[in-house]
Amino acid sequence: MADAEHYRSIGDYGLLSDCHSVALVSHDGSIDWCCMPRVDSASVFGRLLDAERGGCCAIRADADAHTSRRYLGDSLVLETILRCSAGEARILDCFTMREAGAERPHRQLLRVVEGIRGWMKLKFLAEIRFDYGEIKPWLRRRGVGAYSAIGGNDGMLVSSDVDLERSDNHDLVASFSIRAGQRVRFSLEYLEPHRLEVLEVGRTDAGELDRRLDETIDWWHRWSGSIRLDGLDAAAARRSATILKGLQNAPTGAIVAAPTTSLPESANGERNWDYRFSWIRDSAFTVRSLASLGLDAEADRFRRFVERSAAGSTETLQIVYGVGGERRLTELEIEGLEGWRGIGPVRIGNAAAKQVQLDVYGELLDLAWRWHRRGSSPDDDYWRFLVELVDAAAERWREPDRGIWELRGEPRHFVHSKVMCWAALDRGIRLADECLRRAPTRRWRVAREEVRQAVERDGYDADRGVFVQAFGSKALDGALLLLPSVEFLPYDDPRMVRTTDAIREELDDGNGLILRYPRGSDDLASDEGAFVTCSFWLVECLARQGRAQDARELFDRVASCGSDLGLFAEEYDSRRGEPLGNYPQGLSHLSHIAAAVALSNADLAAAPP
């Protein structure tokens, strides 16, 4: 196994995005993960998954320097401050943005070094490694301060105000000094190899780079100006919304689960998955969370992506798609990459795309219902598809499935999946009634009642008075916290209150955070950390049950699992005090927003008139 000292903590990274590509920047100014031209493309810098082979782009001080960082306002422009005895400088990192960037992105990483005080000696390193570290680039000089890098079907133009040198290891390096008031710029622009061959490209004008930086900051601030939320947690919720915007693909509206692959959910391996795809179930959470902040355009674009990708036939329905709507997400293991801290395997693609997960029917119908209530009812073509979905839920709800957690063992009769089939039937009936649509609602009502009776009979532990993970099981499940969100029962129903308390007690990881289900209850040998999303779901339940003080204390505990920049991973290892799993995790940020809104509403309800 690799020396863990060669790897930064997962929470050490900040996210950069232009809503096409992504990059993760470490606290000391090293870009250790970058996929271009799309979030699901092969990595250009992949040191995150292999310290030796992956490649990085680093800017570091010659002398020991203290670093601090922040995002500029509500943007994804990251400022890193470097301080040493001789001086102080800052690095501004971003993917450059522009109007109409959805269709014509710059596809450019920009790194700007500014002198603040005194002077500093710095080093720049571009260790480009295309195709997940497989290819060292062919470097060709394109004039003073500029090189092209080509490998396979990938290409990049690297340019700077200072002269770059080519090392024997196919890297680009530069040593330079920065004084107060000076700027040095580094541009890394993705260009296909055939374009690099025919275009007369060289160093980009410094004034143009400065203009792009200013335009990027303005773009983010204009966008974030539409976020609406007041209260104690507003700033943190705004940061989560910005992260989600960075995870959204501009052309299609898809939001990926996370911008990384194979960051482990367990120190023992096995639980390494590729999350750079878009899950249907996230759509309902997205619409609910983003719309609550006034971000209707982002919510609507994701809704439309899901409709386009899923519509057509229930027989070909998938639970996850590529960011362009791609269906084939073949899962492969990349040989030769050791994985973060040596914890493999490194996987690309995701076999869960072909799983049977019956909750998808409820997610799509709830999505249509929520958007109907916001004034956009389904047209004739989409209504026909929705009828097919409700019919499928009525016919298939008795089947076992893989559930919300995509377990890879034997299918089970998960209570959450049954309730989401109930939700599909319920929303179908409501839509038919309110939109005056023809539908077999009598049959749907019979099926809806059958699902309810089955859940209340077989998915309920009468001895303890709580709902359980699956029919015939005594185990609990964090997904049960979602039952009130689709109105299967009220938040303050005594059964739900008891279930909430039981989850809070029995799924506690020992440090106040919530596991998604009991350890050892799946078919993987390794244990995982606490699930950030489930912990925020519990906050929302407590807040909506009128237990505001308990909700506030738990919210603050879960929020402490985020990074200094406000980013959340999928899971958290309380014993080691560090995040686990792919990062930043979209569902964690969606549930963070929902919990913050629930707390805000609870505070308003408790305020004196």
Side-chain angles (χ1 to χ4, degrees):
M1 181 174 290
D3 186 348
E5 292 183 1
H6 291 159
Y7 292 88
R8 313 287 295 194
S9 169
I10 290 169
D12 187 73
Y13 291 94
L15 176 73
L16 306 178
S17 171
D18 62 353
C19 303
H20 295 265
S21 308
V22 295
L24 294 182
V25 189
S26 71
H27 197 282
D28 64 352
S30 179
I31 297 175
D32 290 349
W33 181 252
C34 178
C35 296
M36 297 174 77
R38 257 182 26 169
V39 63
D40 56 351
S41 300
S43 64
V44 175
F45 303 120
R47 187 183 183 279
L48 185 67
L49 295 180
D50 196 302
E52 288 293 323
R53 298 187 58 195
C56 67
C57 179
I59 299 176
R60 294 195 175 98
D62 265 4
D64 289 339
H66 172 75
T67 62
S68 61
R69 62 182 179 172
R70 61 169 187 152
Y71 283 114
L72 297 185
D74 289 321
S75 76
L76 285 185
V77 179
L78 183 64
E79 176 191 70
T80 302
I81 302 293
L82 307 175
R83 297 183 182 90
C84 67
S85 58
E88 182 176 336
R90 71 171 182 169
I91 306 169
L92 295 175
D93 285 321
C94 68
F95 273 102
T96 56
M97 308 286 286
R98 65 177 171 187
E99 294 302 321
E103 301 303 327
R104 296 187 301 109
H106 290 303
R107 302 199 295 186
Q108 179 185 44
L109 263 174
L110 180 60
R111 314 199 71 182
V112 177
V113 184
E114 291 184 339
I116 299 175
R117 175 183 58 83
W119 70 282
M120 296 183 72
K121 293 183 66 177
L122 298 160
K123 290 184 177 179
F124 169 83
L125 166 67
E127 192 180 75
I128 300 168
R129 298 293 183 267
F130 294 122
D131 196 14
Y132 300 105
E134 186 71 21
I135 303 173
K136 291 183 178 182
W138 178 31
L139 299 175
R140 301 177 66 185
R141 193 170 183 88
R142 306 301 288 259
V144 177
Y147 277 86
S148 62
I150 292 175
N153 64 338
D154 293 306
M156 183 173 284
L157 177 67
V158 182
S159 65
S160 173
D161 300 332
V162 298
D163 200 15
L164 300 171
E165 296 181 0
R166 176 174 41 200
S167 77
D168 293 338
N169 197 38
H170 299 259
D171 304 329
L172 295 173
V173 297
S175 296
F176 62 100
S177 297
I178 192 83
R179 296 183 180 276
Q182 288 183 328
R183 263 190 175 184
V184 174
R185 306 152 189 87
F186 297 92
S187 167
L188 299 96
E189 187 176 358
Y190 186 90
L191 291 165
E192 291 83 0
H194 66 274
R195 294 188 64 203
L196 281 169
E197 285 292 320
V198 300
L199 295 177
E200 293 295 329
V201 292
R203 183 166 62 189
T204 306
D205 177 72
E208 172 63 15
L209 294 179
D210 290 343
R211 189 192 65 78
R212 290 186 183 186
L213 174 62
D214 292 340
E215 185 179 19
T216 299
I217 296 171
D218 290 344
W219 189 96
W220 280 108
H221 288 163
R222 283 196 307 274
W223 174 82
S224 63
S226 60
I227 299 175
R228 297 195 304 267
L229 182 67
D230 296 319
L232 184 62
D233 310 300
R238 292 169 70 90
R239 173 52 54 199
S240 278
T242 306
I243 296 303
L244 290 168
K245 180 62 176 176
L247 299 183
Q248 185 166 49
N249 179 264
T252 68
I255 296 178
V256 297
T260 56
T261 178
S262 302
L263 292 180
E265 299 167 18
S266 168
N268 298 320
E270 278 193 300
R271 303 175 185 269
N272 296 21
W273 316 112
D274 191 348
Y275 276 12
R276 297 172 299 163
F277 309 112
S278 194
W279 269 256
I280 283 181
R281 77 165 51 86
D282 292 1
S283 61
F285 298 115
T286 300
V287 170
R288 184 163 69 110
S289 295
L290 295 186
S292 70
L293 298 182
L295 298 173
D296 290 352
E298 281 67 30
D300 186 39
R301 294 186 68 241
F302 191 23
R303 178 188 68 87
R304 290 177 183 274
F305 165 78
V306 170
E307 287 184 1
R308 288 195 309 271
S309 301
S313 170
T314 57
E315 295 179 0
T316 58
L317 183 65
Q318 292 188 180
I319 53 95
V320 58
Y321 296 88
V323 295
E326 296 86 357
R327 302 177 54 83
R328 296 187 185 274
L329 309 180
T330 304
E331 186 174 298
L332 303 170
E333 293 187 10
I334 301 293
E335 299 293 336
L337 291 183
E338 65 179 12
W340 179 79
R341 291 186 180 173
I343 304 171
V346 172
R347 293 186 172 101
I348 59 172
N350 199 307
K354 298 302 181 184
Q355 285 187 354
V356 173
Q357 298 177 22
L358 298 179
D359 66 308
V360 69
Y361 301 132
E363 307 296 359
L364 286 168
L365 265 297
D366 192 56
L367 177 66
W369 168 252
R370 289 181 186 276
W371 216 250
H372 159 70
R373 299 296 289 175
R374 299 182 71 85
S376 299
S377 301
D379 60 21
D380 292 346
D381 291 329
Y382 197 55
W383 174 248
R384 282 190 286 271
F385 177 61
L386 293 176
V387 169
E388 285 188 25
L389 290 174
V390 182
D391 281 341
E395 295 169 5
R396 302 190 65 186
W397 71 266
R398 295 179 180 83
E399 299 177 14
D401 73 338
R402 305 289 181 172
I404 186 173
W405 307 127
E406 302 180 349
L407 301 183
R408 299 196 174 196
E410 288 298 316
R412 308 178 203 177
H413 292 279
F414 290 104
V415 168
H416 174 261
S417 295
K418 307 299 184 189
V419 168
M420 292 310 296
C421 286
W422 176 92
L425 292 156
D426 181 73
R427 301 310 188 260
I429 293 166
R430 293 193 199 184
L431 282 167
D433 290 345
E434 290 202 11
C435 298
L436 303 178
R437 293 283 189 176
R438 295 183 60 184
T441 53
R442 180 178 298 178
R443 176 162 55 85
W444 289 354
R445 285 188 171 89
V446 171
R448 181 178 63 177
E449 183 59 26
E450 288 175 346
V451 179
R452 175 175 286 281
Q453 290 178 4
V455 169
E456 293 181 340
R457 180 185 66 247
D458 301 324
Y460 185 73
D461 184 344
D463 293 336
R464 291 188 294 163
V466 300
F467 290 98
V468 293
Q469 180 185 52
F471 288 3
S473 170
K474 294 289 186 180
L476 295 172
D477 191 317
L480 298 170
L481 297 167
L482 294 172
L483 302 192
S485 70
V486 293
E487 301 174 13
F488 184 76
L489 75 173
Y491 279 95
D492 59 358
D493 184 291
R495 295 169 296 175
M496 192 64 220
V497 173
R498 289 192 297 268
T499 301
T500 301
D501 288 339
I503 288 173
R504 190 178 179 187
E505 178 180 353
E506 297 180 30
L507 293 186
D508 190 297
D509 73 336
N511 290 279
L513 302 176
I514 302 301
L515 303 169
R516 54 179 174 170
Y517 44 70
R519 288 190 169 117
S521 63
D522 57 26
D523 291 284
L524 298 176
S526 58
D527 287 335
E528 61 182 10
F531 214 71
V532 174
T533 293
C534 291
S535 301
F536 279 130
W537 287 344
L538 178 56
V539 171
E540 184 176 8
C541 277
L542 292 171
R544 297 190 184 280
Q545 288 168 357
R547 298 189 274 182
Q549 184 59 39
D550 288 350
R552 165 58 58 192
E553 292 175 0
L554 179 58
F555 183 88
D556 291 342
R557 171 71 183 98
V558 186
S560 71
C561 301
S563 73
D564 60 314
L565 294 172
L567 276 62
F568 294 99
E570 181 180 21
E571 301 182 8
Y572 193 79
D573 186 335
S574 296
R575 291 170 294 181
R576 292 182 173 86
E578 64 178 9
L580 291 171
N582 286 305
Y583 172 91
Q585 176 80 0
L587 194 55
S588 297
H589 287 276
L590 288 165
S591 58
H592 175 231
I593 293 171
V597 170
L599 278 174
S600 178
N601 292 339
D603 291 341
L604 288 174

